[in-house]
């Protein structure tokens, strides 16, 4: 691509045909490098001046007050862009407040187009060339002011900035909705399962009986997987591995494979639950509900097969509650770089169960909640991918 071609973006709004002008960031935006106040002047009093020192003071592209100061050194005005100049270099946010800026950031007076452009520069690794070989990643005033950028006319800047800002807003809304649903689920997981009293705090109408306490081994059949090595890529038959459990699901992209067909008894059924009883403490107690056919039960995961009066979706959600996870960690026996739960001990674990009808009601409710959360995640992923494509194609 020659210089002339390089000044035209791949994707642009109708009515714009002029080449973009190459210039330096410091020529079109006022840049103020931060200067940290004396630490003795830091406070936690919201009536003092908000202090922005680095990436830790920003969240979702916005300044979130965390520390205050009584000393004014360098300032950024409400609406300014805040650029992180120390590791991680290049993170960019906005401030909705007048703030004091420390030496970990710089303030830039720029419009929405400049904000999105700086986001893109971070994404494509523009700033990494200045910190290569350095023991401490940072950029200075000269490097920021001399950063080479390409700008269209102001009207086109406004159009590009507006659509990308709209996408950021949509992403933020879906992220917040997803967080709200996840918080709701976390709260309900603690309230919709019986506590020590034998009764849950929150219950569907029409159910009032006390839950029955049983041993886990009486509710499910627990078994180990087929022995043998499982590689990541080769082989005709798919096997579960400890890495196969990902966020409560069976991640088929991380299954193992073998050329030797396992015994038919190891073939997993829909509704089986896989339970991580061996590995690091962070993996103990992780569960996945089997929702894919044609997979064999591999080593390092226990298989739970439901008995007639146990609903698999209910038990899966029950095992995901904080008390059950805490139990798993507390009963793991750390060895050399490893922890495990004895299968016999696991079978003795007490668990409270309502009638199968109430189990199915609870299981179905959480299944639908999970689907809604997953829907927002898919929308988020799509929006972020679209935004990434726009950042690549709408800029020179």
């Amino acid at each position: 691509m020659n210089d002339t071609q390089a000044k035209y973006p791949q994707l642009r709004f109708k009515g714009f045909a002029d080449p973009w002008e190459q210039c330096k960031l410091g020529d079109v935006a006022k840049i103020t490098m931060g200067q940290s106040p004396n630490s003795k002047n830091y406070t936690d009093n919201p009536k003092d001046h908000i202090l922005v020192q680095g990436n830790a003071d920003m969240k979702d592209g916005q300044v979130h007050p965390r520390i205050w100061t009584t000393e004014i050194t360098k300032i950024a005005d409400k609406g300014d862009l805040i650029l992180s100049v120390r590791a991680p270099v290049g993170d960019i946010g906005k401030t909705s407040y007048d703030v004091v800026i420390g030496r970990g950031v710089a303030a830039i007076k720029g419009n929405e187009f400049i904000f999105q452009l700086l986001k893109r520069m971070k994404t494509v690794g523009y700033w990494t060339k200045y910190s290569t070989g350095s023991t401490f990643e940072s950029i200075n005033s000269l490097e920021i002011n001399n950063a080479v950028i390409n700008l269209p006319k102001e009207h086109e800047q406004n159009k590009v900035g507006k659509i990308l800002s709209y996408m950021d807003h949509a992403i933020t809304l879906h992220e917040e909705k997803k967080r709200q649903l996840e918080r709701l689920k976390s709260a309900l997981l603690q309230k919709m399962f019986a506590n020590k009293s034998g009764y849950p705090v929150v219950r569907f109408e029409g159910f009032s009986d006390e839950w029955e306490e049983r041993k886990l081994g009486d509710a499910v059949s627990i078994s180990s997987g087929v022995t043998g090595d499982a590689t990541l890529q080769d082989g005709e038959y798919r096997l579960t591995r400890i890495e196969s459990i990902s966020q409560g699901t069976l991640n088929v992209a991380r299954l193992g494979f073998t050329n030797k067909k396992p015994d038919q008894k190891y073939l997993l059924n829909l509704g089986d639950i896989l339970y991580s009883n061996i590995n690091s403490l962070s993996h103990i107690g992780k569960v996945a509900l089997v929702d894919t056919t044609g997979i064999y039960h591999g080593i390092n995961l226990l298989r739970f097969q439901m008995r007639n009066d146990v609903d698999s979706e209910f038990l899966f959600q029950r095992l995901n509650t904080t008390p059950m996870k805490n139990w798993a960690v507390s009963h793991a026996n750390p060895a050399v770089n490893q922890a495990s739960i004895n299968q016999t001990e696991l079978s003795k674990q007490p668990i409270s169960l309502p009638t199968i009808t109430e189990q199915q009601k609870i299981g179905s409710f959480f299944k639908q909640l999970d689907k809604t959360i997953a829907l927002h995640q898919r929308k988020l992923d799509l929006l972020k991918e679209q935004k990434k494509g726009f950042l690549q194609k709408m800029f020179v």
Side-chain angles (χ1 to χ4, degrees):
M1 180 178 287
N2 60 43
D3 291 341
T4 302
Q5 290 175 314
K7 294 180 181 179
Y8 296 87
Q10 295 180 47
L11 180 66
R12 68 196 308 189
F13 290 99
K14 287 183 179 180
F16 298 102
D18 294 335
W20 289 23
E21 179 185 355
Q22 188 176 92
C23 59
K24 295 179 180 180
L25 181 60
D27 292 338
V28 295
K30 180 183 176 182
I31 299 167
T32 302
M33 302 300 292
Q35 179 183 336
S36 297
N38 192 308
S39 59
K40 70 180 182 180
N41 296 319
Y42 293 0
T43 78
D44 57 2
N45 186 356
K47 292 183 179 180
D48 293 328
H49 306 286
I50 299 168
L51 175 62
V52 179
Q53 302 183 98
N55 189 55
D57 301 302
M58 294 188 286
K59 181 182 177 183
D60 297 331
Q62 293 285 338
V63 166
H64 280 244
R66 183 178 65 98
I67 301 174
W68 290 260
T69 179
T70 57
E71 178 186 359
I72 297 177
T73 51
K74 298 294 184 68
I75 63 170
D77 299 321
K78 179 180 178 180
D80 282 356
L81 312 180
I82 306 296
L83 178 71
S84 173
V85 301
R86 294 191 170 194
V89 167
D91 282 0
I92 186 73
K94 301 175 184 177
T95 178
S96 299
Y97 319 88
D98 294 332
V99 298
V100 174
I101 54 174
R103 61 181 180 176
V105 298
I108 301 174
K109 293 193 179 299
N111 59 16
E112 185 67 31
F113 179 89
I114 296 294
F115 175 69
Q116 298 292 343
L117 176 62
L118 288 167
K119 272 191 175 184
R120 182 178 184 273
M121 290 168 71
K122 167 68 175 182
T123 302
V124 300
Y126 178 89
W127 304 108
T128 57
K129 59 185 177 183
Y130 295 110
S131 56
T132 303
S134 302
T135 55
F136 186 78
E137 185 183 356
S138 64
I139 49 177
N140 58 40
S141 175
L142 184 63
E143 291 163 344
I144 299 172
N145 276 278
N146 288 338
V148 177
I149 61 174
N150 291 281
L151 290 181
K153 296 291 193 298
E154 184 177 357
H155 185 44
E156 188 172 2
Q157 289 184 41
N158 293 336
K159 294 277 283 187
V160 173
K162 186 176 181 179
I163 189 172
L164 294 177
S165 176
Y166 171 80
M167 295 188 76
D168 282 343
H169 181 64
I171 288 171
T172 299
L173 286 177
H174 280 293
E175 285 176 333
E176 180 55 30
K177 183 63 176 179
K178 180 171 174 281
R179 279 194 291 264
Q180 290 175 355
L181 288 170
E182 288 172 338
R183 287 194 292 266
L184 173 64
K185 181 185 176 182
S186 179
L188 291 177
L189 281 174
Q190 310 312 314
K191 295 179 180 296
M192 292 185 70
F193 292 93
N195 52 33
K196 293 181 180 179
S197 71
Y199 297 90
V201 176
V202 175
R203 205 164 190 180
F204 286 106
E205 188 176 350
F207 299 100
S208 58
D209 294 339
E210 181 179 358
W211 288 25
E212 177 189 3
E213 184 173 298
R214 297 161 63 179
K215 293 179 180 179
L216 183 60
D218 294 332
V220 298
S221 172
I222 305 176
S223 58
S224 301
V226 61
T227 58
D229 295 330
T231 62
L232 273 175
Q233 297 178 341
D234 300 325
E236 181 180 354
Y237 304 100
R238 299 186 293 176
L239 288 170
T240 60
R241 307 160 65 244
I242 196 75
E243 297 85 358
S244 303
I245 293 184
S246 175
Q247 298 180 332
T249 61
L250 186 58
N251 188 341
V252 294
R254 297 188 62 82
L255 292 172
F257 294 85
T258 180
N259 282 314
K260 182 180 179 181
K261 185 178 181 179
D263 191 288
Q264 195 67 14
K265 68 179 181 180
Y266 293 112
L267 186 63
L268 295 171
N269 299 313
L270 295 177
D272 285 350
I273 292 175
L274 295 172
Y275 186 93
S276 174
N277 73 314
I278 186 170
N279 210 333
S280 65
L281 283 175
S282 61
H283 282 82
I284 289 291
K286 286 191 173 182
V287 294
L289 189 62
V290 177
D291 59 0
T292 306
T293 58
I295 299 173
Y296 290 89
H297 180 201
I299 60 173
N300 293 341
L301 289 172
L302 293 178
R303 175 189 191 181
F304 293 176
Q305 292 176 279
M306 308 306 112
R307 302 197 188 280
N308 292 334
D309 58 349
V310 178
D311 179 71
S312 59
E313 189 68 44
F314 169 88
L315 183 59
F316 168 69
Q317 300 291 349
R318 181 73 178 96
L319 292 170
N320 268 314
T321 61
T322 300
M324 295 294 283
K325 290 182 178 180
N326 289 344
W327 180 91
V329 173
S330 66
H331 281 70
N333 297 315
V336 181
N337 295 323
Q338 194 176 63
S340 64
I341 301 175
N342 181 277
Q343 183 175 331
T344 302
E345 186 66 25
L346 184 63
S347 298
K348 298 176 183 177
Q349 161 68 3
I351 185 168
S352 296
L353 298 173
T355 63
I356 185 64
T357 304
E358 189 172 3
Q359 288 181 46
Q360 291 169 343
K361 193 92 170 177
I362 294 170
S364 177
F365 170 78
F366 280 109
K367 182 178 181 179
Q368 185 58 50
L369 192 54
D370 283 342
K371 284 184 176 180
T372 306
I373 292 172
L375 175 63
H376 282 283
Q377 185 61 59
R378 286 195 296 273
K379 289 181 178 179
L380 262 176
D381 293 340
L382 177 60
L383 281 169
K384 288 180 177 179
E385 193 62 29
Q386 288 177 333
K387 171 78 185 295
K388 181 180 177 181
F390 280 5
L391 285 175
Q392 289 174 341
K393 296 181 179 180
M394 295 186 75
F395 291 88
V396 172

